[in-house]
Amino acid sequence: MSDVVDEPTQPARVRRPAPAWQSGEVVEVVVETPETSSLRILLPQPEPFVPGQYYNIRIPVEGRPRPIQRAYSVGSSPHPRFDVIEVGVKEMEGGLVSPVLVRQRPVGSILEVRGPYGAFTWTEEDGGPVLLVGAESGVVPLMAMIRYQVSKGTTIPMHLVFSSKSAEYVIYREELVELTQQHSWLRVTHTFTRDAIDPLARYHRRIDKEMVGDVFLETSPRLAYLCGPPDMVDDCERSLLELGMEPTGIKTEKYD
C-alpha cells in the first residue's frame, strides 16, 4: 500500500468586515469654486485608507422614507493622519444630497459616513511615471494621490491633465500652482471648455485624443488614472491603448 501524503492546506482568507456607519463632525468647509466645496470631516472611528478611495455619506431628505446615500472621493492624504478626511462635493442641479452638503452643512454639523471603499488607488509602491486625467470634480481622488506623494516626500513623476469650465471653476487652483512651483516632479496641464483665451490653460476645449497624445509623449507614463464623466474616461482609455499603453496600467473611475 502506498503512502498517502496530505496536501498542504491553504490558510483561510479572512474577509475584512464591512465598514460601519459612523457619525463624523464637519470641522471645516472650504469653498473651492461656485459649485464645489471640500468638507473636512473628523471621524470618531477612523480607518486607514489609500489615496483614490471614497466614502459613502447619507443624509435624511424631506419626503423620503429613508436616508439618501451618495459616494464622495477623498481628496486628502491618509499620511500623516487619516482621522480627518476631506471629501470634495460638486453641487448637482436637482440633486438630493450634493446641494444639502454644499449649502447646508456648516462647521459642527454631523454626517453619517461609511468607508473607505474602492480600488482606484495609488501609492509610491505602484511606481510611475503617472498620468492623471480628471474633469471637474474628477480631480478629487487624483489630488489625494498628489497630496500623498507630497506628504511622503517621494518624487515619482506625475502629470495632471485637468479639464474645467474656466479658471473660476478650477478646484484646488491656488494649491496646484504652489505645488508645481515647489515640486519639479509635478506638472499640471489645464484645459478650459468655456474660456477660449485664459493663459492659465494650455488648451481650450474638452479633453480629446490629440491632447492625450501630446501629454503622453511628454510624460511616457507607466500608469494612468482617469476620472470623470464616462464618455471622457472611455475616450481617454481608448486613446492611451492606441498609443501603446498596457491595459493593466490604466485605472478608471467614472462619475455620472
Side-chain angles (χ1 to χ4, degrees):
M1 180 181 295
S2 61
D3 293 334
V4 176
V5 179
D6 292 334
E7 293 185 0
T9 57
Q10 296 294 325
R13 179 177 295 178
V14 178
R15 177 174 293 181
R16 188 176 180 180
W21 287 102
Q22 54 182 305
S23 297
E25 180 185 357
V26 178
V27 294
E28 187 176 2
V29 177
V30 180
V31 178
E32 305 283 2
T33 77
E35 61 187 11
T36 305
S37 291
S38 292
L39 277 61
R40 292 175 180 155
I41 304 170
L42 176 64
L43 302 177
Q45 298 173 305
E47 289 283 343
F49 67 93
V50 184
Q53 291 191 300
Y54 66 90
Y55 271 73
N56 289 326
I57 298 178
R58 68 180 180 186
I59 62 172
V61 175
E62 186 176 355
R64 296 289 180 128
R66 288 180 290 275
I68 302 298
Q69 172 181 312
R70 295 289 186 270
Y72 293 100
S73 291
V74 179
S76 53
S77 167
H79 180 271
R81 57 183 294 186
F82 52 84
D83 59 327
V84 175
I85 59 169
E86 178 186 295
V87 296
V89 183
K90 177 184 175 183
E91 183 176 5
M92 304 298 293
E93 185 176 354
L96 294 175
V97 176
S98 62
V100 176
L101 293 179
V102 171
R103 306 292 177 185
Q104 303 174 28
R105 285 298 181 267
V107 171
S109 299
I110 302 300
L111 292 174
E112 284 193 285
V113 302
R114 181 168 68 179
Y117 296 100
F120 182 77
T121 60
W122 180 87
T123 71
E124 69 275 26
E125 295 179 359
D126 296 307
V130 184
L131 173 61
L132 308 171
V133 182
E136 299 188 344
S137 60
V139 76
V140 175
L142 309 180
M143 191 63 174
M145 299 173 190
I146 294 171
R147 286 169 164 169
Y148 172 80
Q149 172 149 250
V150 170
S151 71
K152 294 287 284 188
T154 51
T155 58
I156 296 167
M158 287 184 166
H159 193 149
L160 169 65
V161 179
F162 186 7
S163 175
S164 308
K165 296 174 185 175
S166 66
E168 185 182 17
Y169 289 87
V170 175
I171 306 171
Y172 316 122
R173 183 176 61 184
E174 297 304 322
E175 183 178 357
L176 285 171
V177 170
E178 293 176 2
L179 291 177
T180 55
Q181 293 172 346
Q182 296 167 0
H183 303 283
S184 60
W185 52 262
L186 177 63
R187 294 185 63 188
V188 177
T189 293
H190 289 286
T191 183
F192 294 161
T193 60
R194 299 186 186 178
D195 187 321
I197 60 173
D198 193 315
L200 176 64
R202 176 178 172 183
Y203 301 98
H204 298 86
R205 61 183 190 267
R206 296 184 184 278
I207 297 172
D208 57 21
K209 181 177 180 179
E210 180 184 355
M211 194 184 304
V212 172
D214 290 346
V215 178
F216 181 86
L217 291 175
E218 296 166 1
T219 308
S220 300
R222 192 179 67 82
L223 297 173
Y225 291 81
L226 318 175
C227 188
D231 287 346
M232 184 279 285
V233 170
D234 289 342
D235 289 345
C236 287
E237 182 176 19
R238 189 178 306 111
S239 297
L240 290 171
L241 291 173
E242 291 175 357
L243 288 163
M245 195 162 186
E246 291 293 330
T248 54
I250 303 173
K251 313 297 181 183
T252 63
E253 188 97 305
K254 299 176 182 179
Y255 282 10
D256 295 329

